[in-house]
């Protein structure tokens, strides 16, 4: 129950923040996690520094990367915005965090609220488990973060 989670996600709109709250609540119900050990980057934005300044950038980046590397797993919400063809394009910061976790052999648990979306090949091969769609996402409350079983998705790859 001491597993630490890094919750990677975009937080630029009310819907994105709602997705974070939904996932945070489900993870908080999970008996293999400690709700107090869920790191949510939007809650750690170096408010002491001017937003966007070099010091702010350095502080936020350093903090986020330390937390990714301290995590026992990264939970990444992929829903961000759709391109002109209606395909979901995950947030570039979230993708970077996924790559950093994968390279450090930290399991990545991917979450996508909208079920009928395609997934980039690189992302499709870098996850340990994928919760695809609102019904699947609810299973985050019971997923075993101690054993981290593989859960594949039938999501289309591009």
């Amino acid at each position: 129950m001491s597993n630490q989670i890094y919750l990677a996600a975009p937080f630029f709109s009310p819907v994105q923040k709602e997705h974070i709250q939904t996932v945070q609540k489900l993870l908080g119900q999970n008996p293999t996690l400690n709700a107090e050990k869920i790191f949510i980057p939007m809650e750690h934005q170096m408010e002491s520094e001017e937003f966007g300044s070099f010091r702010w950038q350095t502080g936020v980046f350093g903090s986020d990367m330390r937390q990714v590397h301290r995590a026992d797993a990264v939970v990444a919400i992929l829903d961000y915005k759709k391109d002109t063809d209606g395909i979901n394009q995950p947030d570039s910061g979230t993708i970077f965090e996924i790559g950093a976790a994968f390279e450090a052999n930290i399991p990545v648990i991917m979450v996508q609220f909208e079920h009928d979306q395609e997934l980039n090949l690189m992302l499709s091969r870098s996850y340990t488990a994928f919760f695809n769609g609102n019904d699947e996402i609810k299973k985050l409350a019971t997923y075993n973060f101690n054993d981290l079983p593989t859960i594949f998705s039938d999501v289309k790859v591009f």
Side-chain angles (χ1 to χ4, degrees):
M1 183 154 159
S2 63
N3 292 308
Q4 295 186 67
I5 300 298
Y6 183 95
L7 181 50
F11 50 89
F12 310 111
S13 75
V15 170
Q16 293 164 358
K17 291 176 183 176
E18 183 179 306
H19 286 164
I20 292 169
Q21 291 172 346
T22 298
V23 170
Q24 180 183 16
K25 181 179 177 184
L26 291 166
L27 294 174
Q29 296 169 359
N30 189 304
T32 63
L33 297 177
N34 180 339
E36 294 177 14
K37 291 188 176 184
I38 300 170
F39 183 87
I40 302 172
M42 76 175 182
E43 296 175 352
H44 304 275
Q45 289 294 299
M46 295 283 300
E47 290 82 8
S48 62
E49 299 296 333
E50 179 185 346
F51 177 82
S53 69
F54 180 77
R55 290 176 66 104
W56 177 87
Q57 293 173 37
T58 302
V60 170
F61 179 82
S63 172
D64 287 357
M65 287 298 93
R66 277 190 304 279
Q67 293 301 324
V68 164
H69 289 103
R70 287 178 181 160
D72 296 304
V74 168
V75 175
I77 301 173
L78 301 181
D79 302 81
Y80 176 47
K81 62 183 177 181
K82 293 183 181 180
D83 66 13
T84 55
D85 294 325
I87 297 172
N88 179 48
Q89 296 299 315
D91 167 57
S92 57
T94 303
I95 294 170
F96 185 91
E97 292 159 335
I98 290 169
F102 181 81
E103 185 61 23
N105 293 313
I106 297 165
V108 176
I109 311 304
M110 291 188 192
V111 175
Q112 186 166 265
F113 281 79
E114 193 165 342
H115 183 268
D116 294 329
Q117 290 295 307
E118 295 179 359
L119 187 62
N120 176 279
L121 170 65
M122 300 306 280
L123 294 176
S124 75
R125 301 312 321 138
S126 62
Y127 67 78
T128 298
F130 191 99
F131 295 90
N132 189 13
N134 285 314
D135 291 337
E136 288 293 314
I137 289 168
K138 293 174 186 170
K139 295 178 182 177
L140 285 168
T142 57
Y143 180 74
N144 189 332
F145 281 89
N146 292 324
D147 294 335
L148 295 159
T150 301
I151 298 176
F152 291 109
S153 175
D154 60 357
V155 66
K156 294 177 190 171
V157 174
F158 66 92

